[in-house]
Amino acid sequence: MTEDSQRNFRSVYYEKVGFRGVEEKKSLEILLKDDRLDIEKLCTFSQRFPLPSMYRALVWKVLLGILPPHHESHAQVMMYRKEQYSDVLHALKVVRFVNDATPQVEVYLRMYQLESGKLPRNPSFPLKPEDEVFLAIAKAMEEMVEDSVDCYWITRCFVNQLNKYRDSLPQLAVRGGNVMSWEVSNLFLFHHQPKAFEQYLNLEDSRLLSHLKMCSAVSRLPYDLWFKRCFAGCLPESSLQRVWDKVVSGSCKILVFVAVEILLTFKLKVMALNNSEKITKFLENIPQDSSDAIVSKAIDLWHKHCGTPVHSA
């Protein structure tokens, strides 16, 4: 029996006896023991398998560039990150933008605004739409990451990655062949997710899409909640983190398939509604007890239409 077939046999056996993911966990632990972490392999692993919760924060920090690939530098780099966190927080307290009673997610927002040069003149100024997106993501991240320093840095870099997808499309024509094919795909998709959603929903259930069009609901679906907020506030964090594993590792395309699967899962409910406002309101507040199944099926759909995700330089 070959090594691959032995591994497949063990994986099937582990799943049958209730130890699903044992082999994957071992594979990740091997990757994390390398003196220099292989970013491409970690990305590929994160896109193929859910990250074990005990390693998620570490892998996310490496993939988001918060920590370098070299193990020996991790402690020193995190010390610098903590010092920067403390300095920015102190500055905000001095100018009285935050105090000890300020909600933690708002503290993260003000820190992000200060570091990106977007701090308003007065804390009473109304929040911009991008600030609301940051707060939604930070609130979800707070439930996933216990340490406040880690939570801020992961949220900050996660949001920056999303902004890069939004802002970098005009440069593709200039960069041309220097851009990795998966990156081009992500950047293009990020600007066309509603159209991609419509395309894949049509492939999966054209009758459901026709109903949405008949109700004039297609243009009024909660795309901002789905694609700008990456389902923060829509899915519970226990399910959401499996989706964000894929986004952090470089594929925003998973968001489209989560949206498609939400429609497929609640098809009967949506088909019973004949008003775009009611459809949108329902989709903004979907029942939480189906979220794990939705994410699992969305990942299967993603693999079905896109194959096994592999990063190539």
Side-chain angles (χ1 to χ4, degrees):
M1 185 180 290
T2 67
E3 184 177 344
D4 284 345
S5 60
Q6 285 179 328
R7 183 187 182 286
N8 290 338
F9 174 79
R10 288 197 302 271
S11 295
V12 171
Y13 172 75
Y14 283 133
E15 287 188 22
K16 283 185 176 180
V17 296
F19 291 97
R20 184 176 183 178
V22 169
E23 286 286 282
E24 285 71 23
K25 181 173 177 285
K26 288 181 180 178
S27 298
L28 178 60
E29 288 173 345
I30 291 171
L31 289 177
L32 293 176
K33 286 179 181 177
D34 290 342
D35 291 334
R36 188 183 188 283
L37 299 177
D38 190 316
I39 302 299
E40 187 170 337
K41 287 182 179 179
L42 284 176
C43 283
T44 302
F45 181 95
S46 299
Q47 293 202 10
R48 294 185 65 183
F49 309 110
L51 290 169
S53 57
M54 63 187 298
Y55 297 123
R56 179 169 279 112
L58 171 61
V59 174
W60 282 11
K61 285 192 288 184
V62 171
L63 295 186
L64 290 170
I66 299 164
L67 287 174
H70 296 281
H71 269 295
E72 64 270 18
S73 303
H74 284 189
Q76 186 176 20
V77 169
M78 278 314 300
M79 182 182 71
Y80 293 148
R81 300 294 190 196
K82 289 178 182 178
E83 288 176 355
Q84 185 175 339
Y85 177 96
S86 298
D87 290 344
V88 175
L89 180 58
H90 176 71
L92 286 168
K93 288 182 177 180
V94 169
V95 296
R96 298 181 180 179
F97 254 80
V98 302
N99 54 51
D100 292 339
T102 305
Q104 192 64 47
V105 291
E106 187 179 330
V107 172
Y108 296 149
L109 172 64
R110 297 308 186 188
M111 291 176 69
Y112 180 74
Q113 289 176 328
L114 180 58
E115 291 201 283
S116 57
K118 296 179 180 178
L119 190 69
R121 294 180 183 178
N122 191 301
S124 63
F125 279 19
L127 296 177
K128 297 179 179 179
E130 58 264 32
D131 298 331
E132 299 285 1
V133 169
F134 185 97
L135 286 173
I137 290 173
K139 186 177 180 181
M141 198 71 77
E142 195 176 33
E143 296 297 319
M144 302 178 196
V145 182
E146 292 183 6
D147 183 81
S148 58
V149 176
D150 282 353
C151 187
Y152 170 67
W153 277 102
I154 292 173
T155 301
R156 176 185 190 268
C157 293
F158 183 79
V159 170
N160 281 341
Q161 179 166 301
L162 298 179
N163 290 339
K164 184 191 74 171
Y165 287 149
R166 294 188 185 101
D167 299 339
S168 299
L169 189 63
Q171 278 74 51
L172 290 180
V174 178
R175 293 173 65 187
N178 293 327
V179 185
M180 292 184 289
S181 59
W182 65 269
E183 184 181 357
V184 174
S185 174
N186 277 330
L187 293 173
F188 181 81
L189 180 74
F190 207 89
H191 289 257
H192 299 276
Q193 282 169 322
K195 282 294 181 185
F197 160 78
E198 189 175 329
Q199 171 193 342
Y200 287 114
L201 181 59
N202 184 55
L203 290 173
E204 291 298 317
D205 196 320
S206 58
R207 184 165 170 261
L208 179 53
L209 178 60
S210 296
H211 175 73
L212 294 174
K213 288 182 175 179
M214 183 184 69
C215 298
S216 301
V218 174
S219 63
R220 299 188 62 182
L221 296 178
Y223 295 124
D224 282 1
L225 175 63
W226 292 348
F227 303 139
K228 288 187 178 180
R229 301 190 182 198
C230 296
F231 294 94
C234 176
L235 298 175
E237 288 72 23
S238 57
S239 302
L240 187 61
Q241 59 192 6
R242 294 169 57 204
V243 177
W244 286 6
D245 284 344
K246 317 307 179 190
V247 179
V248 167
S249 58
S251 181
C252 63
K253 201 166 190 177
I254 185 64
L255 302 176
V256 171
F257 293 103
V258 175
V260 169
E261 187 54 48
I262 285 174
L263 265 297
L264 295 177
T265 298
F266 298 110
K267 174 181 176 178
L268 294 179
K269 175 68 176 178
V270 172
M271 293 289 282
L273 300 172
N274 56 9
N275 177 285
S276 62
E277 186 176 343
K278 291 179 180 178
I279 291 174
T280 302
K281 186 176 181 180
F282 171 75
L283 293 174
E284 288 175 340
N285 300 278
I286 61 171
Q288 302 287 283
D289 56 359
S290 304
S291 59
D292 281 342
I294 287 171
V295 171
S296 294
K297 291 176 182 177
I299 292 172
D300 289 342
L301 268 184
W302 181 44
H303 285 279
K304 170 185 171 182
H305 289 285
C306 304
T308 302
V310 176
H311 283 239
S312 58

